[in-house]
């Protein structure tokens, strides 16, 4: 139910998985309404119906720039069951998780004693073919590396020595890194499920 400012409304539906307690958008299912409603829908009743995979974990995020105005609101149904309702007295942004169960956990590889599981999530920008990286140990041995040909989200897992310093080096042939006019990108590093480093924006030659 729209209020007098329908152009303020946005919503996103995306799939996700958990790495420990951290939610990772997978973007295999994503639908976006970024201020997609017109002024002509002033105080109109608008519906959106779609089929979604029952075996995926989905998150629905809804935002009205200035909150709901009086007489407006949102009701979300899954398989005919009402999941959430918002109105002008409960106008905070909502993020609803659908199909939140054990299948939402990212499958992890098993490491031997004396090793830790390093998980790296790399989000490429619009020029993925410019990006490369390598992970090396203290003896300069390459533990993992990658180059890319298309924009994607890459999830890598590798067992690394627990008591050893590692070096992760990114390269960008153009030198502008994951940034800006080429679309946002970046990386996150998790050690045994704990976030230890993340960065986005201008990641250049190293």
């Amino acid at each position: 139910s729209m209020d007098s400012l329908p152009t303020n409304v946005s919503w996103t539906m995306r799939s996700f998985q958990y790495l420990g307690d951290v939610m990772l958008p997978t973007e295999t299912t994503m639908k976006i309404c970024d201020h997609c409603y017109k002024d002509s829908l002033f105080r109109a009743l608008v519906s959106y119906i779609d089929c979604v995979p029952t075996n995926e974990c989905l998150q629905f995020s809804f935002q009205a720039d200035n909150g709901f105005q009086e007489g407006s609101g949102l009701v979300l149904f899954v398989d005919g069951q009402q999941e959430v309702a918002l109105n002008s007295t409960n106008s905070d942004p909502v993020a609803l998780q659908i199909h939140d169960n054990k299948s939402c956990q990212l499958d992890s590889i098993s490491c031997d004693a004396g090793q830790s599981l390093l998980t790296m999530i790399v989000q490429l920008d619009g020029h993925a073919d410019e990006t490369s990286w390598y992970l090396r140990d203290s003896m300069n041995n390459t533990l993992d590396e990658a180059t890319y040909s298309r924009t994607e989200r890459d999830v890598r897992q590798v067992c690394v020595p627990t008591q050893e310093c590692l070096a992760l080096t990114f390269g960008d042939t153009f030198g502008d890194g994951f940034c800006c006019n080429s679309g946002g990108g970046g990386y996150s590093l998790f050690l045994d499920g704990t976030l230890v480093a993340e960065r986005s924006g201008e990641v250049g030659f190293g």
Side-chain angles (χ1 to χ4, degrees), residues 109-134:
I109 63 176
S110 297
C111 295
D112 295 333
Q115 292 184 320
S116 295
L117 177 61
L118 181 69
T119 304
M120 180 166 63
I121 297 94
V122 181
Q123 177 63 56
L124 282 304
D125 64 12
H127 294 286
D129 58 331
E130 298 174 355
T131 303
S132 63
W133 59 264
Y134 55 83

Side-chain angles (χ1 to χ4, degrees), residues 99-115:
H99 311 310
D100 185 7
N101 52 47
K102 291 182 179 179
S103 66
C104 298
Q105 288 288 339
L106 179 69
D107 291 334
S108 297
I109 63 176
S110 297
C111 295
D112 295 333
Q115 292 184 320

